[in-house]
Amino acid sequence: KSNGYTVPNPTAQANVIGRAIEQAGIDPRVISYLEAHGTGTSLGDPIEITALTRAIGAYTGDRHFCAIGSVKSNIGHCESAAGIAGLTKVLLQMRHQQIAPSLHSAQLNPHIDFGATPFIVNQELTPWEPPIIEGRRLPRIAGISSFGAGGSNAHLIVEEYQEPTQEPMAFANVVILLSARTAEQLRQKARDLLDFV
């Protein structure tokens, strides 16, 4: 419930973002990019930033560690396709390991104090470096928000695919029991095993 059909509810948004973080089982400090719903309105954007800051602030007080943008600055508002447009942008950014700029963002919304948030508005094409936390290089992880009129709220956590690293196989002496009816069959089984190995 909010103050109007098109007025977002920051508590509901913070709750859905918090649930997505919990279900993903991650510390939001590892999120290095956030694709905001970002309608570009003086009312909606401050509410969204408040909700995001509240949800992430429940885990960390760190500031300016997460780039933020919205595909709407590039393609406009796609209404019911806005969420999938945001997801597509995130996947392309992961593929190319770059963060696209938010257009028309040279002058930030004066109703948002970005200095008090975890976010940095990305204003130019930037390499998307994987985060390094406590000396560990982590995968690129993004949050994606999509909010609709009437109170439909969605948030995804997306992690880039990384090839599993194969540990070199360690060989050790082992005992293998072989049995056969005759000595010759036993030798043949031993040769078969040696050929297989």
Side-chain angles (χ1 to χ4, degrees):
K1 188 169 185 170
S2 66
N3 294 326
Y5 185 74
T6 60
V7 178
N9 181 327
T11 303
Q13 288 181 4
N15 288 343
V16 77
I17 295 162
R19 280 196 311 274
I21 290 168
E22 285 175 24
Q23 289 174 358
I26 62 164
D27 177 347
R29 182 61 183 80
V30 302
I31 298 172
S32 52
Y33 178 75
L34 202 128
E35 177 66 18
H37 181 69
T39 56
T41 64
S42 59
L43 175 64
D45 288 353
I47 289 174
E48 180 176 5
I49 295 297
T50 297
L52 286 163
T53 302
R54 186 181 301 167
I56 292 172
Y59 296 87
T60 180
D62 291 356
R63 302 287 182 243
H64 298 113
F65 63 86
C66 183
I68 191 168
S70 175
V71 71
K72 289 177 187 67
S73 75
N74 303 85
I75 64 172
H77 197 317
C78 299
E79 297 298 333
S80 61
I84 195 67
L87 174 60
T88 302
K89 177 186 170 189
V90 166
L91 295 176
L92 286 169
Q93 288 181 152
M94 284 181 171
R95 179 179 184 183
H96 296 287
Q97 300 178 359
Q98 293 183 313
I99 299 175
S102 287
L103 304 179
H104 317 294
S105 64
Q107 184 176 349
L108 298 177
N109 187 324
H111 303 291
I112 301 172
D113 179 9
F114 279 101
T117 73
F119 308 112
I120 304 162
V121 178
N122 192 62
Q123 298 176 320
E124 57 189 41
L125 185 63
T126 307
W128 189 353
E129 301 296 340
I132 298 174
I133 298 177
E134 297 177 3
R136 277 185 47 226
R137 182 180 172 171
L138 301 173
R140 292 169 185 87
I141 298 176
I144 305 167
S145 289
S146 186
F147 307 128
S152 57
N153 298 315
H155 190 81
L156 297 177
I157 304 290
V158 178
E159 180 177 323
E160 74 176 326
Y161 174 77
Q162 293 185 317
E163 285 281 340
T165 55
Q166 289 210 323
E167 297 292 322
M169 293 180 70
F171 291 98
N173 293 331
V174 295
V175 176
I176 299 175
L177 177 65
L178 299 174
S179 75
R181 287 184 190 254
T182 67
E184 181 52 38
Q185 289 174 330
L186 184 60
R187 282 190 287 280
Q188 183 59 48
K189 286 291 175 197
R191 282 191 296 271
D192 292 346
L193 179 61
L194 180 62
D195 290 343
F196 177 78
V197 171

